[in-house]
Amino acid sequence: MTLADLIAQARTALDTAITTRTQEQDALIALRSDPELTEEAVAARVTTRDAADAEVTRRQTALDELLAEEARDAEIAALSARTTPAANRAPAYDQVHRVGNEERTYRPDEDRRGAMFERDVAAAFMGDYEAQSRLSRHMSEERTLRGDQLQRAVGTSAFSGLVVPQYLTDLYAPAAQANRPFADAIRNHPLPAQGMVVNISRITTGSSVDNQTNEHDAVSETNMDDTLLSIPVQTAGGQQTLSRQSVERGAGVESIVLDDLFRRYSTNLDSKLLNQATTGLSAVATAVAYTDASPTAAELYPKVIEGLSGVEAALLDQASGENLAVMHSRRWYWMQNAMGATWPMINQPGIVGQALGANYAEAYGRGVRGLLPNSTPVIVDNNVATNLGAGTNEDEIYLVDRNECHLWEDPGAPMYIRAEQPKATTLGIQLVVYGYFAYTHARYPQARKVSGTGLVTPTFTGV
C-alpha cells in the first residue's frame, strides 16, 4: 500500500467521522425541542456528541500527519533532483509514467466532447479526491507523451484554433427563486379529481346548553346552522418556446428550461397563498398593529405574542397547538441581530432562558429555520411582500395554526406538455407547465399578522 492510498483512507475515515458528528449534533438539537426533555437525556446525548467530536479530531490529526509526510517526501524528491547529476539519475520503475498498451484516462473515442474531463474539473474544484486523482494521472500521461510541447514558452494566444473555451454546463447557474417554504409547511390535501370548486361546511350557529330553571322545564335548545365555504380551484401555468436546434444541438437546454418553469410554478403558488387579493393570508389575517419610528426586536416580540394569543382565542378547542410564524428573511435576521439583557419570566420547552430563541441554521426553503422565545417555529419565506405600507417599505409577520391553512394540490403537479406540432413549420418546440390548486385560510378566521411602521426596512444595529 502506498502513502497515497493511506491518505485516501484517512480522508474517507475523516469524512465518515464528520458525518457521524453532524448526525449526533442534529439528534441533540431535536432532543432539546422535546417537551418531555430530561437533564439525563441531554447529558447522555452530549456525551455521545463529544465522543464523535473527539473522533473527528483524531481522524484529522492522522490525516495531517500523513499529508505532512507526503509534503516532506516531495521536498526530499525535489532536493534529490537538484543534487543528483542528470547522467546518474535512474528513477525507480514504479516512479516512471509509461504509456503502452494501458488505456488513457480520457479517451477521445469514448468521450468525443470531453464531458468526462469537464465533470472531473468541476468535481475536483469541489473537493472530489477521485476526480483530482484522475486529472493528475491525465497530466502525467500528457507529460510522458508531449512533455516537450508542454514546456515550450508559447502562450495559448498562439493557438486560438486549438485552445477552445470550455462551457461547464453542469455548473450552470439557475435563476434564483423564492420557491414555496410556506406551502410546504401548511396542511396539504390531494385535490379532488373533478370540479372547479371545493366546498366546506362551516357550523356558524352552534347548539346551546344551559341550566334547567325548574324541574320539567324545557332545557336549552338552539337550532344549529352552517354556512358553505366555497373555495375556487385555480389554474397556474407558464410556457417557453424553444427552437429545435437549441434542444437537439444544445447541452441540457430542455431540462434547464423545465426546471426553471417548475420552480417558478412553485414560487407563484406560494406567493398566491400569502399575497392574493381577498383570499391570501395577508388579506384574511387580523392585523396586530406595531407602529414605531424606532423599532426594536424587544418591542416587536410582544406583538408576536399578542398575535399568537389571538390565534388560540379564535380556535379554542379546535387549536392544534402547531403554530407557525412566517416572515421574510430580512426580518428573521434582524431579530437575530438584537442583543438583550433581560430574560423571560417563563421559560419554554427546548429554549434556554438567556438565549431568547434558537436558530437551527437551516438553509433557505429547508423547513423550520428556528424557534422564537416561546418555542414557536419560524418559516422564512421571501414571497412575503416588502413593499407594504404608506412608505412601500414594510413587511409583515404572519401567525397561524398550520393545520388551519389548507392547500389542495394534484399529487403529480405541476404537469407539463411538450408540443411539437403547433410550431412545426418554424422548427419550434413548446413546453407548457401547469397545475390546479385550491387553498383557504378561512375555515376558521384565526390568522393574525403583525404589521405597521415598526416593520419598515430593518437596520442592523443590535437592538
Side-chain angles (χ1 to χ4, degrees), residues 212-291:
Q212 186 182 39
T213 304
N214 300 299
E215 295 181 16
H216 298 296
D217 284 353
V219 297
S220 177
E221 179 183 12
T222 300
N223 294 332
M224 293 179 62
D225 193 13
D226 77 338
T227 300
L228 196 63
L229 175 62
S230 295
I231 307 163
V233 176
Q234 304 184 54
T235 306
Q239 64 174 310
Q240 191 73 227
T241 301
L242 307 178
S243 70
R244 183 171 292 276
Q245 292 89 337
S246 68
V247 173
E248 295 181 353
R249 304 287 297 177
V253 172
E254 185 172 353
S255 61
I256 289 173
V257 171
L258 283 174
D259 174 71
D260 186 71
L261 284 169
F262 286 153
R263 289 186 300 108
R264 289 183 183 273
Y265 175 91
S266 297
T267 300
N268 171 76
L269 183 148
D270 192 88
S271 179
K272 293 299 186 292
L273 292 176
L274 294 170
N275 305 312
Q276 192 167 27
T278 307
T279 56
L281 186 56
S282 179
V284 302
T286 301
V288 176
Y290 175 40
T291 304

Side-chain angles (χ1 to χ4, degrees), residues 91 104 116 123-124 134 146 157 172 192 197 199 221 237 286 304 316 325 334 345 351 383 397 405 416 426 438 442 458:
R104 293 290 302 274
M116 183 185 300
R134 286 192 294 272
R146 303 190 296 114
S157 60
Y172 84 96
V197 176
N199 290 316
E221 179 183 12
T286 301
V304 173
L316 298 177
W334 178 70
M345 291 182 60
I351 299 294
N383 284 306
I397 298 175
C405 295
Y416 84 95
T426 59

Side-chain angles (χ1 to χ4, degrees), residues 4-143:
D5 294 332
L6 292 174
I7 291 174
Q9 286 183 355
R11 283 190 169 120
T12 301
L14 177 58
D15 288 342
T16 301
I18 291 173
T19 300
T20 301
R21 196 271 178 194
T22 301
Q23 292 172 347
E24 294 297 339
Q25 179 66 11
D26 291 344
L28 177 59
I29 291 174
L31 180 64
R32 283 172 171 162
S33 65
D34 188 345
E36 299 180 358
L37 180 68
T38 64
E39 292 184 1
E40 292 79 5
V42 172
R45 181 58 67 182
V46 169
T47 300
T48 305
R49 192 274 315 277
D50 290 345
D53 265 334
E55 180 67 9
V56 171
T57 301
R58 188 173 73 83
R59 294 295 186 182
Q60 179 64 54
T61 301
L63 177 59
D64 289 342
E65 290 175 353
L66 291 173
L67 291 174
E69 185 176 340
E70 181 185 48
R72 183 56 180 163
D73 285 350
E75 292 176 2
I76 296 298
L79 180 61
S80 175
R82 291 196 300 270
T83 58
T84 303
N88 297 331
R89 283 203 294 266
Y93 178 85
D94 61 353
Q95 294 177 339
V96 177
H97 292 281
R98 295 173 171 82
V99 179
N101 293 329
E102 295 182 1
E103 299 288 352
R104 293 290 302 274
T105 304
Y106 304 108
R107 292 174 50 187
D109 59 325
E110 290 186 350
D111 188 21
R112 185 167 59 87
R113 296 189 178 185
M116 183 185 300
F117 175 76
E118 293 176 358
R119 283 195 297 270
D120 278 352
V121 170
F125 179 77
M126 300 299 292
D128 188 322
Y129 304 127
E130 293 184 1
Q132 294 171 1
S133 176
R134 286 192 294 272
L135 290 171
S136 177
R137 187 164 63 249
H138 169 67
M139 289 306 300
S140 297
E141 294 165 356
E142 289 296 296
R143 280 190 289 269

Side-chain angles (χ1 to χ4, degrees), residues 152-169:
R152 292 185 182 276
V154 179
T156 57
S157 60
F159 304 104
S160 58
L162 299 176
V163 183
V164 295
Q166 299 297 308
Y167 294 89
L168 305 180
T169 55

Side-chain angles (χ1 to χ4, degrees), residues 417-430:
I417 301 170
R418 188 183 194 272
E420 300 184 13
Q421 293 305 316
K423 300 290 184 178
T425 57
T426 59
L427 294 181
I429 298 174
Q430 280 188 305

